[in-house]
Amino acid sequence: MDTTWFGFGHRVALPWPPVAGTDFQTFLLLTPIIGPDKEIAEALEIAGDPVEILTVNLISHQELGLIKSRGLDPFLDLLDDNDYPPIFDPARKSYV
């Protein structure tokens, strides 16, 4: 019906921030890091085909620039280095 699909690392730019008072206006799609969510994601199938569960993470223009220039791995390292929370904090500052 629709040929659009999303996967790990895809980004969706929004015309304005979806949360007032932040500079974050790009969705970054990642796989779950929370144990039970990750287990469900690894076991989920529909009609024998694996299904990938993705989490939506808001990132800043600067963070998006880092991903575009250096790839996703350096940004994921920044998330780890900064103890990125599993629930979006609108008061979070850009890691770049």
Side-chain angles (χ1 to χ4, degrees):
M1 188 170 138
D2 189 342
T3 59
T4 301
W5 62 277
F6 294 104
F8 177 81
H10 279 173
R11 298 164 308 268
V12 179
L14 305 171
W16 55 82
V19 177
T22 72
D23 292 330
F24 300 95
Q25 72 181 70
T26 299
F27 288 150
L28 172 64
L29 304 175
L30 300 173
T31 52
I33 59 167
I34 297 173
D37 295 345
K38 194 174 191 177
E39 291 169 12
I40 290 170
E42 291 169 352
L44 187 59
E45 289 184 355
I46 295 179
D49 293 323
V51 175
E52 186 173 16
I53 293 177
L54 299 170
T55 61
V56 177
N57 303 268
L58 277 169
I59 62 172
S60 69
H61 289 298
Q62 297 87 348
E63 293 166 340
L64 177 61
L66 173 68
I67 293 168
K68 286 181 174 181
S69 67
R70 297 191 47 217
L72 188 57
D73 286 340
F75 178 67
L76 295 178
D77 290 341
L78 274 179
L79 296 183
D80 288 341
D81 293 345
N82 287 281
D83 295 321
Y84 182 69
I87 298 173
F88 177 68
D89 178 4
R92 166 174 100 76
K93 300 296 182 206
S94 177
Y95 296 144
V96 177

